[in-house]
Amino acid sequence: MLSSYTYWAMNGERYIEVILPLKLDWNPVYRTSDPRIGVGSRVRVMFSGREYTAVVSAVDVRAGTTDPGKIREIVAADDSFAPSGKEEIEFWKAVSAYYLCSVGEVFKAAYPSMKIENDEHRRRRDKRLQGSIERYEKLLSRARKDETRERYAARLEELKGRGAIPSVTPDGILLTRPQKDALSEIESSDRTVLLNGVTGSGKTEIYMELARKTLEKGKNVLYLVPEIALSRQLEERIARRFPDVLVFHSRLTAARKRDVPTEVRLRENYIVLGTRSALFLPHHGLGLVIVDEEFDTSYKQDSPAPRYHGRETAIILSKIHGAKAVLGSATPSLESLYNCSVGRFKEVRLGERYYRGAPSEVLVVDTVAEKKKRGMRGNLSLKLIQKISETLGRGGQIMLLRARRSYAPAVQCEDCGYIPKCPDCNVALTLHKGLVDRLVCHYCTHVEPFTGTCGKCGGNLVPIGAGTQRIEEEVRKLFPGTEVSRLDGDTPEAEGRRIVHDFENGKIRILIGTQVLTKGFDFGSVSLVGVLEADSLLALQDFRADERALQLLEQFRGRSSRRGEKGLFVVQTREPEHPVFRALTSGEMPDFLEERRAAGFPPYTRELRIVIKDGNEKRLKMLSADLARALNVPHTGPYAPANERIGGQSFRHIRIMLPRDRNLSSTKQKIAAAVSSFEKDRRYAGHIVIDVDPI
Ligand code: ADP
Ligand code: ZN
């Protein structure tokens, strides 16, 4: 055995352990004689020849077996930044343990810029406060009822006197009986709650009521949504009720991204509306964490580490704070349904829509059969065209979904059959029309002009299939004089807002788009929604594809007939007998949970995916096979994923399904350790990532 010396610091000096914003699997120790430094303090330290801002994770530690002569002193305490709270550090540690990354990587995700709050930030904050004051002054001068005037006046006083604290603007909503029942069920539960309620049943009203009550008790609220850019509608709705809501997501300006954490830290009472990254704000006193549309895959962070899921992480956070966690959806994830079935979550149902009205009817159109009968005009069936005309005739609005953006997902030479592919990825280039037509790779940044001439034989390149842009072109031709618009990943953000606005006020009659159309829009007079080439939602080699397709279709279906009127949902497919489409018409859900159980798939097991990449195909093949052997656990693979080559790198996956027993977390740690020693032995760092609960 090695003899181990334990050194203690001397002469008023202490040893402290710090978290560096790096992928380190240990916490380095430094010396300091500054008595003010405690757990959570920021310090500047030298590490590997560079200076970093680190956060102190422990004080008065032993030096361990390190020779004290080698322990360096910190460069300085950094008090331009408020210390991190105990809960914050505990949260980072929990996330790091669950997602098999370093605490430093979580710390880095929480403080990506590490900029110091300075006078400029304070000035901006004051300016915003001034903005709120002006807003209320306007409201006050417009308010007619005495009661309302009084409220605004009181609020103004508050703002002028004490700075912004959350206020609530009552909007006269009285919860219905079923909503009240759901609310009290949620309040009385001591477990995580899954609020399972159809679209339009008033879940959002319940969240807002819960939030109001939480704030009233002096506790804070985190309200998570999958995406914000286009769900501005929800943002506006929340802001009407909670004028001081802090909005946080990745598309904020750099200044605002710095500002919000400071606000959260400084405010005693707050409500944050944000995307998953809002989990890492310096929360304190949380009483409620809401995860809206909990099934949505945008909650999962792909890269960089931590590769976390917003839903699971929200539960971790709420446990640390002793806060209530409420997950909600019309189409809950199997993970949450599973957790309800084993009693870990409490399921609360909300069956009725607020604006009554039955769910929309479903019409499945078999495009193969229609083609034979000459029932197709381009990509639209005559049946759908007929329904669109009728809807327009009644003054209604229509949404059409096609899951691929672009004009065409590929182009092909009429003469030699050549399909241009991305030089760096193993995928066909998509055609985008514009002032200049372009061929674009959807997996990397590659773009080239489209000349229409085959690079191989000089023949004619023609579009294959149709993306949203081509559908838009067809619809415009079919319905001349009708206002048609398109919303997808190619729409600039400001333009997207304008489109949402114009669709809301009825100016746009037909809206074509990708999956964004399914996300939380609440348009009163949409009575027809249609999906073109619904097959493309299924055609993924993934055991979750059917579950996802059904969630997406149900969400989209919920976009029609929101205001009582019975809507129609048209699904065009080549495979009308597929269980997913059958489920839509019959209402009989495939038993996804049972299928997963029988196959030993999540949520009955926990999946770890190990992803290995390399620019060199041969080395990848060899090293991925070696790694799989070195793991020493049952696994499948290494296998090539659907997009095997992206951006000049080739990929292999190794899949491990772990039983959900009490050894789970130690098994995970062992696998992480095996990967890390493999990286070291083979000098292969940077090539391997572990994805816990991949989706
Ligand atoms: P969900 O979040 O379940 O999709 P919403 O909360 O958006 O449902 O409710 C659907 C519509 O019904 C919204 O326009 C909402 O304002 C309205 N609504 C829901 N509950 C009430 C209520 N109790 N009183 C008045 N309007 C309500
Ligand atoms: Zn590419």
Side-chain angles (χ1 to χ4, degrees):
M1 225 176 101
L2 284 172
S3 61
S4 77
Y5 297 92
T6 304
Y7 298 100
W8 290 86
M10 314 267 284
N11 308 332
E13 281 207 323
R14 299 182 299 160
Y15 292 139
I16 57 169
E17 214 176 73
V18 305
I19 300 169
L20 286 164
L22 297 171
K23 187 184 172 179
L24 280 184
D25 48 16
W26 52 288
N27 290 338
V29 173
Y30 290 85
R31 277 186 296 131
T32 178
S33 50
D34 188 334
R36 294 167 311 162
I37 289 176
V39 172
S41 301
R42 302 300 161 98
V43 290
R44 292 209 303 277
V45 297
M46 293 301 294
F47 184 85
S48 278
R50 274 193 58 186
E51 190 176 313
Y52 290 93
T53 298
V55 67
V56 178
S57 55
V59 294
D60 296 324
V61 296
R62 298 172 182 205
T65 52
T66 319
D67 176 351
K70 290 203 178 131
I71 294 182
R72 289 208 262 177
E73 194 169 350
I74 63 166
V75 175
D78 185 350
D79 47 18
S80 59
F81 224 107
S84 286
K86 190 176 92 251
E87 286 149 341
E88 222 183 324
I89 297 176
E90 191 184 340
F91 178 54
W92 300 344
K93 287 185 176 162
V95 171
S96 121
Y98 188 90
Y99 288 104
L100 304 177
C101 61
S102 75
V103 181
E105 286 171 302
V106 187
F107 167 48
K108 192 172 175 190
Y111 292 90
S113 63
M114 265 323 233
K115 289 277 167 48
I116 292 159
E117 127 118 345
N118 57 24
D119 290 348
E120 170 62 12
H121 303 137
R122 274 182 216 114
R123 201 181 54 73
R124 271 210 204 113
R125 231 186 17 250
D126 292 348
K127 201 171 138 192
R128 257 199 331 280
L129 177 61
Q130 194 51 41
S132 291
I133 291 176
E134 280 161 20
R135 206 167 61 233
Y136 271 95
E137 279 170 343
K138 245 187 235 150
L139 283 170
L140 179 64
S141 67
R142 277 200 234 117
R144 282 194 217 113
K145 281 197 213 139
D146 281 352
E147 209 182 300
T148 321
R149 293 185 58 85
E150 262 168 41
R151 214 173 49 236
Y152 289 150
R155 176 78 191 118
L156 264 170
E157 216 142 82
E158 245 171 37
L159 285 171
K160 286 178 179 164
R162 294 193 273 145
I165 64 155
S167 60
V168 181
T169 312
D171 56 2
I173 291 224
L174 292 175
L175 295 187
T176 60
R177 190 73 248 167
Q179 283 173 323
K180 276 191 192 150
D181 291 346
L183 183 73
S184 60
E185 268 191 85
I186 294 170
E187 287 181 306
S188 65
S189 167
D190 50 9
R191 286 171 287 164
T192 294
V193 172
L194 172 67
L195 178 57
N196 184 352
V198 295
T199 309
S201 57
K203 295 185 293 298
T204 310
E205 296 298 338
I206 293 180
Y207 302 146
M208 291 198 288
E209 183 58 10
L210 281 166
R212 187 189 66 75
K213 288 184 152 184
T214 307
L215 291 170
E216 213 173 73
K217 281 187 235 151
K219 290 286 198 170
N220 300 326
V221 179
L222 173 61
Y223 189 142
L224 291 178
V225 289
E227 283 161 295
I228 271 200
L230 287 161
S231 52
R232 279 295 292 264
Q233 272 193 326
L234 178 68
E235 184 184 335
E236 284 159 14
R237 191 167 157 195
I238 307 279
R240 271 198 300 276
R241 190 81 61 95
F242 305 99
D244 306 312
V245 62
L246 292 165
V247 176
F248 191 75
H249 53 85
S250 58
R251 296 215 221 161
L252 293 177
T253 60
R256 195 69 199 125
K257 271 188 202 158
R258 269 199 312 264
D259 246 22
V260 176
T262 311
E263 292 272 324
V264 167
R265 206 190 288 287
L266 293 178
R267 285 193 194 180
E268 208 158 300
N269 220 201
Y270 63 84
I271 169 169
V272 170
L273 173 70
T275 51
R276 60 173 192 265
S277 54
L279 284 160
F280 295 96
L281 290 168
H283 291 293
H284 51 92
L286 275 180
L288 174 68
V289 181
I290 296 162
V291 184
D292 191 12
E293 306 296 6
E294 58 87 38
F295 73 97
D296 198 302
T297 52
S298 355
Y299 276 120
K300 179 69 164 64
Q301 160 119 337
D302 272 337
S303 186
R307 297 178 172 76
Y308 65 101
H309 196 295
R311 180 183 58 229
E312 307 308 322
T313 310
I315 294 169
I316 295 174
L317 182 68
S318 68
K319 293 234 163 89
I320 287 173
H321 285 260
K324 180 169 292 277
V326 180
L327 321 177
S329 175
T331 54
S333 63
L334 289 188
E335 278 71 15
S336 295
L337 291 175
Y338 166 83
N339 281 321
C340 290
S341 77
V342 297
R344 199 168 297 135
F345 292 0
K346 179 185 173 67
E347 182 172 2
V348 175
R349 285 182 176 259
L350 199 58
E352 263 169 64
R353 290 157 170 260
Y354 179 74
Y355 293 102
R356 310 250 163 219
S360 51
E361 229 168 274
V362 181
L363 174 65
V364 176
V365 176
D366 178 344
T367 50
V368 177
E370 290 304 319
K371 205 164 220 156
K372 283 189 195 138
K373 290 189 288 189
R374 298 179 175 278
M376 296 295 289
R377 291 291 172 275
N379 289 282
L380 276 70
S381 62
L382 289 178
K383 286 181 179 162
L384 177 56
I385 293 169
Q386 166 83 27
K387 295 294 176 193
I388 295 175
S389 305
E390 286 171 20
T391 307
L392 289 173
R394 282 198 310 270
Q397 287 174 295
I398 297 126
M399 287 207 264
L400 297 177
L401 184 145
R402 163 71 177 118
R404 303 271 322 245
R405 67 187 168 93
S406 74
Y407 186 83
V411 295
Q412 187 169 26
C413 175
E414 282 181 314
D415 295 340
C416 74
Y418 171 68
I419 295 178
K421 285 191 171 180
C422 173
D424 297 322
C425 308
N426 192 22
V427 296
L429 290 171
T430 62
L431 173 62
H432 287 247
K433 289 207 169 177
L435 291 175
V436 182
D437 294 349
R438 297 164 309 146
L439 291 177
V440 179
C441 174
H442 283 186
Y443 291 88
C444 73
T445 52
H446 180 86
V447 184
E448 55 188 73
F450 174 68
T451 56
T453 309
C454 174
K456 291 269 183 271
C457 74
N460 242 349
L461 287 176
V462 293
I464 301 291
T468 44
Q469 207 181 9
R470 190 169 187 178
I471 304 290
E472 181 191 7
E473 188 182 273
E474 288 181 8
V475 171
R476 282 184 192 282
K477 277 191 193 132
L478 286 164
F479 301 98
T482 301
E483 199 61 45
V484 177
S485 222
R486 174 168 53 94
L487 195 58
D488 58 29
D490 295 322
T491 316
E493 199 172 323
E495 170 81 357
R497 295 235 178 88
R498 187 193 57 75
I499 291 173
V500 169
H501 185 75
D502 284 350
F503 196 58
E504 224 171 354
N505 65 28
K507 211 152 139 199
I508 295 170
R509 304 294 302 282
I510 306 179
L511 184 59
I512 294 150
T514 50
Q515 282 87 332
V516 293
L517 297 186
T518 65
K519 308 239 164 163
F521 294 117
D522 181 6
F523 300 117
S525 58
V526 175
S527 49
L528 172 62
V529 296
V531 184
L532 309 178
E533 247 179 272
D535 318 76
S536 67
L537 302 171
L538 310 168
L540 294 161
Q541 44 158 285
D542 174 351
F543 64 84
R544 291 182 176 85
D546 287 0
E547 177 201 356
R548 294 246 177 81
L550 200 49
Q551 282 166 342
L552 185 121
L553 291 167
E554 282 293 351
Q555 288 287 330
F556 194 46
R557 180 186 189 177
R559 299 302 133 205
S560 70
S561 82
R562 290 186 56 100
R563 289 285 149 83
E565 188 193 345
K566 198 174 178 82
L568 179 66
F569 181 28
V570 177
V571 178
Q572 291 195 167
T573 170
R574 291 187 297 273
E575 252 187 286
E577 292 304 318
H578 193 285
V580 164
F581 305 128
R582 290 256 295 274
L584 283 178
T585 39
S586 70
E588 262 167 57
M589 290 292 146
D591 196 345
F592 289 128
L593 266 181
E594 177 49 30
E595 284 170 18
R596 297 281 187 87
R597 197 193 57 77
F601 282 155
Y604 289 87
T605 49
R606 283 271 184 221
E607 182 178 354
L608 291 195
R609 180 189 292 160
I610 301 184
V611 182
I612 311 134
K613 67 168 181 189
D614 203 311
N616 180 323
E617 196 54 62
K618 237 185 182 161
R619 192 168 54 207
L620 177 68
K621 221 170 165 177
M622 188 188 76
L623 282 162
S624 61
D626 286 358
L627 174 62
R629 270 190 297 277
L631 289 173
N632 218 358
V633 286
H635 61 267
T636 53
Y639 59 87
N643 294 307
E644 162 180 358
R645 198 170 169 78
I646 297 170
Q649 297 280 333
S650 296
F651 290 81
R652 290 290 185 280
H653 289 181
I654 298 170
R655 178 193 276 170
I656 304 168
M657 297 294 190
L658 298 170
R660 291 174 73 129
D661 56 21
R662 76 173 86 101
N663 297 327
L664 177 61
S665 77
S666 70
T667 313
K668 277 165 65 179
Q669 299 299 337
K670 274 183 208 142
I671 294 168
V675 169
S676 138
S677 61
F678 183 88
E679 281 180 319
K680 276 182 200 129
D681 293 351
R682 305 296 186 97
R683 298 173 190 281
Y684 207 50
H687 291 261
I688 308 174
V689 304
I690 306 180
D691 197 345
V692 178
D693 303 340
I695 56 168

